[in-house]
Amino acid sequence: MGFGIALAIVACSSGHSTSSAPGGSGGSASGGATGNASGGSTGQAGGATGKGSGGATGGVAGAATAGTAGGGSGGSPASFGGTISAVGGAGNSGGAAGGAGGSSGARGGAQGTGGTSGTEQYPVPNPIPADEDGSQLWLRYVKIPIPGRLAEYQAAFTHVVKAGSSDTLQAAQVELVKGLSGLTGTTISVSDQPTGDGAVVLGTPASSSLVKSLSLPGLGAAGTEGYVVQSAEVGGKKGVVIAANTDIGVLRGSFALLRHLQCHRPVEGLALAGTPKIQRRILDHWDNLDGSVERGYAGTSLWNWSSLPATISQRTKDYARANASVGINGVVLNNVNANSQILTSEYLDKAAALATAFRPYGIGVYLSAQYGAPIQIGGLSTADPTSTAVKQWWVTEANTIYQKIPDFGGFLVKANSEGQPGPADYGKTHADGANMLAAALAPHSGIVLWRAFVYKDDGSDRIAQAYSEFKPLDGKFASNAMVQVKNGPLDFQPREPFSPLFGAMPSTPLALELQLTNEYLGEDTHLVYLGPLFEEVLKSDTYAKGQGSTVARVIDGTVHGYATTAIAGVANIGSDVSWTGSHFNQANWYVFGRMAWDPDVSAADVADEWVRQTLSNDPAVVTPVTTMMMGSRQAAVNYMTPLGLAHIMGSDDHYGPAPWISNLSQADWNPVYFHKADATGIGFDRTSTGSNAVSQYFATARDKLASRSTIPDDFLLFFQRVGWDDKLASSGRTIWDELVYRYSVGVDAVATMRDSWKTVEGRIDAKRFKDVGDFLQTQHYEARWWRDACLQYFASVSKHTISSSYAAPAHDLQFYKDLEIKCPSDATKPRCPDIYSGTPSPAILK
Ligand code: GCW
């Protein structure tokens, strides 16, 4: 087999020196090997070999044809009509981002050259950089290893002019001194005024007379959180100014400058500006008060409840700092399966202490509210939203919270979902429940984020239930209530379509909920970069108001004019020294922040800047690692749930393959409910001949999904039922053969990732090199486990056999079924030694 991942150069997103990047390492890449648009071609499409023409103004365009080659004919696997398309060289981009390659996500494209340091070579580090444990995240500020750029930065940054005294401005100043000292390898001093060239001036017109005197025209557009960072003459000296209308904008600008420099981009002509497109950018922690984390794979909770409020750890501050660096501005502290104790005075004092620590970093605190709290801790006999006593209880509760946390963000609520109480217990609607809480919060400007993740065992199609329940409530929610909707209608699957609620609630602001913790994607261990998944969702076209009504435009308020906008990510962060349980899962926290700030930023550009900051700017690292990252999500889809399969993992831990499970009491807890494979075919018919869930989409999207000739292969089995021997137009293969092919491609992609990773040895520290290599090995074994178990099972129901041109499964079906007994479920580490040691031996991978 040996289907590889296209190797190609990924360009940094602004005109920057890249030194003499190898022009693409092409070779035996499969251009969009499984891309639906390219029809699963296995053709040889090498990486890019072109070079963008750059210069200080940034590259004009890379070799677009190389991009096309690298990405195959790519196309978007997921966006209904939208594309994650090739960008053949943006004006101010150092190089062209080539085709966003098929569903393998590999990017072709050409690396531009630009900036002032021309063709500087990155030296192979000697000695190997000191071990790192990942605790510094992407805020490492390593000294620039290329002399030209180093000299440029040493000249450009010599001192920071003292910022105003607010905690936020002080945080910005401290960060700049730390970052610039590290990057330049010098001691950056702080002075009252510019003392020579190289001054960094930061502030608002109100806090800094120097900033005020510049009358920067861009400040108008910066709003309340944005910034302007540019080269300027300050006090007659050459310097850089970081300006904003608010202190928090100054902090964001400081991080933007440090990001730019950590990507080794030029200072000359510096002009950065940014303002968020979504107002509330929130991390949802599913942290329990006992320190455990639901679906958490990175150790215990960050919040040390027993030592709060007295002690705030440095880690708590570093957490806030990291969030601020990517633009996150809100944190829900506790699990949506909420313990009402969080609403007691004792815990509110602890939450208030965290809020105090977060405040300088512009991060507001929210809490998950237990709907049944009036009964559980309030001494009432009901939680009926129309009861005067219940309403009053929440008003008093809100007043208490705001006394302790004046800038409290609001409540997140999971109600009448998976056993949680809610207004339906009293015959009332979600809007009734949300509005009761909204009324209590409104005097304080707080909001309610009411989750739409609801389903019950009533015989209807599970994925259609949230829409059925919430759509009729559109217009019935209070103005400070939002409905928070998971990206897909099912549950954070490796791939699923966007939720049909997006676009369907014009009068109710919807928040998008993404999951950063990889509950269904190999937890901490598998390297799955979620940027492509998020991008796919954000670019999906709802067609609510015609073409271009993407999920991004719905949630940023453009489509329906929402007054309040929000996006949430279920956090993957815990007490683990690496924060996220693995080095690469840090990238999922990072990309969430960057896409929450700007939903139009590309996953590839974010991967590029993350790698540069977290690992190395050396093209010999950036290229293979970003390529791995960009292909990793499709690899997981292929070895877990190809062709639109969903929810066929173990029913509790959601980790390994278990497509055979059929004996659980609730229908949709069983994988067989979702794939419906039998001797005649496979797939869930959600067209008009089946559940007709497809009718919940707007006509253009619906028609595309309902027709065999137009549905993207990646969603086929999610919406349609097909015969095993039906042929896919895109590849000419039968469904059975395509499944075998895709499962195999998925395993091979992980093998290629391992090979790619090996090439960075010696260019990054040995510890992280080994940590990642070890996890990739486990991922490889487990990808093979997924493939073999699923193919054995589907072979047994379809009575088909695996062609001898593919590796035979290592074991019979019973072996995989028995693993459930042999490897009892451990929700946080459901590894099965039988998979990667003993039997089957690692030799199965050869
Ligand atoms: O995906 C499911 C998870 C639950 C989670 C639930 C939800 C917090 O398996 O652990 O509960 O979603 O989102 O409410």
Side-chain angles (χ1 to χ4, degrees):
M1 293 169 282
F3 307 104
I5 299 175
L7 284 179
I9 302 295
V10 179
C12 211
S13 55
S14 74
H16 60 283
S17 166
T18 56
S19 84
S20 56
S25 27
S28 61
S30 55
T34 58
N36 53 302
S38 61
S41 151
T42 59
Q44 304 281 299
T49 55
K51 275 209 158 208
S53 59
T57 55
V60 179
T65 50
T68 308
S73 50
S76 165
S79 45
F80 305 121
T83 51
I84 304 172
S85 62
V87 180
N92 67 349
S93 150
S103 51
S104 79
R107 272 165 48 116
Q111 181 65 67
T113 57
T116 52
S117 65
T119 56
E120 277 189 286
Q121 292 283 349
Y122 280 84
V124 177
N126 183 17
I128 289 182
D131 280 352
E132 294 190 42
D133 58 15
S135 59
Q136 301 304 307
L137 294 164
W138 46 86
L139 302 170
R140 295 161 59 250
Y141 307 131
V142 172
K143 186 177 173 188
I144 306 290
I146 43 176
R149 188 63 88 213
L150 178 64
E152 181 190 353
Y153 285 9
Q154 286 172 340
F157 305 106
T158 56
H159 59 293
V160 173
V161 177
K162 201 179 269 174
S165 59
S166 80
D167 289 346
T168 300
L169 290 174
Q170 283 302 304
Q173 178 180 310
V174 167
E175 196 72 28
L176 286 164
V177 169
K178 178 179 164 102
L180 296 173
S181 299
L183 286 158
T184 60
T186 62
T187 304
I188 299 289
S189 56
V190 177
S191 56
D192 289 330
Q193 292 296 324
T195 56
D197 287 346
V200 179
V201 173
L202 63 158
T204 63
S207 69
S208 161
S209 54
L210 284 171
V211 169
K212 187 171 182 198
S213 71
L214 291 169
S215 306
L216 296 166
L219 265 191
T224 53
E225 278 198 85
Y227 56 83
V228 169
V229 178
Q230 62 186 59
S231 307
E233 285 252 317
V234 272
K237 313 286 183 214
K238 267 179 46 187
V240 166
V241 61
I242 302 169
N245 300 311
T246 61
D247 291 354
I248 194 63
V250 175
L251 181 65
R252 302 217 185 289
S254 304
F255 279 116
L257 173 64
L258 291 167
R259 179 163 59 239
H260 182 88
L261 304 179
Q262 285 207 91
C263 282
H264 298 185
R265 298 170 185 167
V267 182
E268 200 179 310
L270 185 70
L272 309 174
T275 184
K277 291 184 180 150
I278 297 174
Q279 296 160 2
R280 296 179 189 247
R281 307 173 299 278
I282 305 172
L283 277 183
D284 289 1
H285 283 260
W286 286 357
D287 293 20
N288 298 314
L289 303 189
D290 66 0
S292 63
V293 180
E294 182 155 350
R295 308 299 176 186
Y297 315 107
T300 52
S301 171
L302 279 180
W303 328 128
N304 195 343
W305 293 110
S306 59
S307 58
L308 285 167
T311 311
I312 294 287
S313 65
Q314 183 57 41
R315 198 162 165 92
T316 302
K317 293 178 197 157
D318 284 341
Y319 164 82
R321 189 179 144 240
N323 276 340
S325 77
V326 291
I328 288 166
N329 68 0
V331 173
V332 180
L333 294 177
N334 61 317
N335 191 356
V336 288
N337 290 325
N339 184 332
S340 46
Q341 289 301 313
I342 193 80
L343 298 175
T344 61
S345 188
E346 180 193 352
Y347 273 91
L348 291 176
D349 285 340
K350 296 168 191 277
L354 290 172
T356 302
F358 296 163
R359 197 166 289 117
Y361 297 94
I363 292 160
V365 158
Y366 299 67
L367 294 175
S368 289
Q370 163 57 249
Y371 187 82
I375 301 172
Q376 294 173 14
I377 57 167
L380 300 183
S381 58
T382 178
D384 186 328
T386 58
S387 146
T388 309
V390 172
K391 288 190 210 169
Q392 187 52 47
W393 189 87
W394 283 108
V395 167
T396 306
E397 177 67 27
N399 291 345
T400 306
I401 293 174
Y402 280 93
Q403 264 164 24
K404 295 175 190 286
I405 312 173
D407 50 0
F408 179 66
F411 291 137
L412 173 65
V413 187
K414 173 175 178 174
N416 293 124
S417 164
E418 296 186 331
Q420 293 296 334
D425 304 349
Y426 308 94
K428 307 296 182 327
T429 69
H430 288 287
D432 296 330
N435 293 349
M436 169 187 62
L437 297 177
L441 296 168
H444 312 283
S445 306
I447 66 163
V448 173
L449 291 151
W450 191 273
R451 295 176 88 226
F453 181 64
V454 296
Y455 62 97
K456 49 182 176 271
D457 199 15
D458 64 357
S460 67
D461 182 352
R462 166 161 166 186
I463 74 141
Q465 294 182 20
Y467 180 101
S468 302
E469 205 161 327
F470 277 85
K471 165 81 182 149
L473 298 176
D474 187 32
K476 302 222 159 74
F477 287 89
S479 60
N480 63 327
M482 303 186 76
V483 172
Q484 183 162 308
V485 183
K486 289 188 182 183
N487 59 275
L490 180 49
D491 191 12
F492 298 138
Q493 294 303 292
R495 173 170 279 130
E496 58 180 300
F498 68 90
S499 165
L501 277 169
F502 294 111
M505 304 272 288
S507 305
T508 311
L510 299 185
L512 167 63
E513 180 175 306
L514 300 165
Q515 192 181 46
L516 319 189
T517 190
N518 278 342
E519 175 182 351
Y520 292 95
L521 278 157
E523 302 185 350
D524 55 332
T525 309
H526 293 207
L527 194 168
V528 181
Y529 170 55
L530 295 174
L533 189 162
F534 298 166
E535 183 171 338
E536 187 174 296
V537 173
L538 290 163
K539 288 194 172 167
S540 292
D541 203 336
T542 70
Y543 294 97
K545 286 201 176 168
Q547 196 169 1
S549 308
T550 60
V551 171
R553 296 289 81 81
V554 170
I555 63 160
D556 75 8
T558 313
V559 173
H560 303 302
Y562 295 157
T564 310
T565 55
I567 184 168
V570 178
N572 60 353
I573 305 156
S575 59
D576 189 279
V577 68
S578 74
W579 295 91
T580 54
S582 82
H583 299 296
F584 272 89
N585 279 352
Q586 294 180 358
N588 293 334
W589 177 7
Y590 185 88
V591 70
F592 169 72
R594 299 288 284 141
M595 286 192 177
W597 178 270
D598 180 3
D600 298 320
V601 75
S602 83
D605 284 346
V606 176
D608 177 88
E609 66 180 38
W610 178 82
V611 172
R612 288 173 188 275
Q613 295 172 93
T614 309
L615 295 169
S616 169
N617 275 268
D618 183 345
V621 175
V622 176
T623 302
V625 176
T626 53
T627 305
M628 275 170 64
M629 290 170 74
M630 289 304 292
S632 62
R633 185 281 190 122
Q634 183 61 30
V637 167
N638 280 340
Y639 66 71
M640 290 180 175
T641 54
L643 281 179
L645 288 172
H647 223 306
I648 59 173
M649 27 301 266
S651 295
D652 292 330
D653 57 41
H654 297 163
Y655 193 73
W660 47 81
I661 291 181
S662 62
N663 59 355
L664 301 174
S665 60
Q666 184 165 322
D668 63 80
W669 290 345
N670 294 294
V672 296
Y673 171 88
F674 292 101
H675 63 67
K676 304 215 182 302
D678 64 17
T680 65
I682 181 171
F684 198 133
D685 182 1
R686 294 185 161 118
T687 70
S688 58
T689 52
S691 79
N692 206 21
V694 77
S695 66
Q696 295 180 339
Y697 290 94
F698 284 89
T700 309
R702 178 191 66 216
D703 293 348
K704 192 166 173 180
L705 295 171
S707 158
R708 259 311 295 282
S709 56
T710 51
I711 186 166
D713 292 347
D714 284 318
F715 295 113
L716 181 61
L717 304 180
F718 199 92
F719 287 107
Q720 299 191 17
R721 179 166 180 79
V722 293
W724 293 106
D725 298 318
D726 288 4
K727 283 205 165 150
L728 276 181
S730 53
S731 68
R733 295 188 192 91
T734 65
I735 297 299
W736 168 249
D737 285 342
E738 186 74 20
L739 271 184
V740 176
Y741 168 77
R742 290 195 181 213
Y743 271 111
S744 305
V745 164
V747 179
D748 285 353
V750 182
T752 305
M753 284 159 67
R754 290 179 75 187
D755 290 344
S756 299
W757 184 250
K758 284 181 192 139
T759 69
V760 309
E761 183 164 19
R763 293 179 190 266
I764 66 164
D765 62 287
K767 174 166 169 42
R768 289 188 299 169
F769 177 76
K770 180 170 184 328
D771 290 348
V772 172
D774 289 350
F775 273 5
L776 282 170
Q777 176 175 300
T778 300
Q779 182 176 4
H780 195 185
Y781 298 157
E782 294 185 343
R784 182 66 195 263
W785 168 32
W786 265 95
R787 171 197 183 269
D788 289 358
C790 291
L791 289 181
Q792 285 290 38
Y793 171 73
F794 291 127
S796 76
V797 288
S798 70
K799 312 283 181 243
H800 282 61
T801 52
I802 299 166
S803 150
S804 60
S805 57
Y806 291 92
H811 294 277
D812 62 15
L813 179 58
Q814 198 56 43
F815 171 88
Y816 297 107
K817 288 186 173 178
D818 288 347
L819 290 179
E820 270 179 70
I821 303 156
K822 283 200 254 173
C823 307
S825 178
D826 165 356
T828 56
K829 287 277 175 207
R831 308 293 177 271
C832 182
D834 286 47
I835 291 305
Y836 37 84
S837 63
T839 351
S841 84
I844 64 168
L845 302 176
K846 301 292 176 224

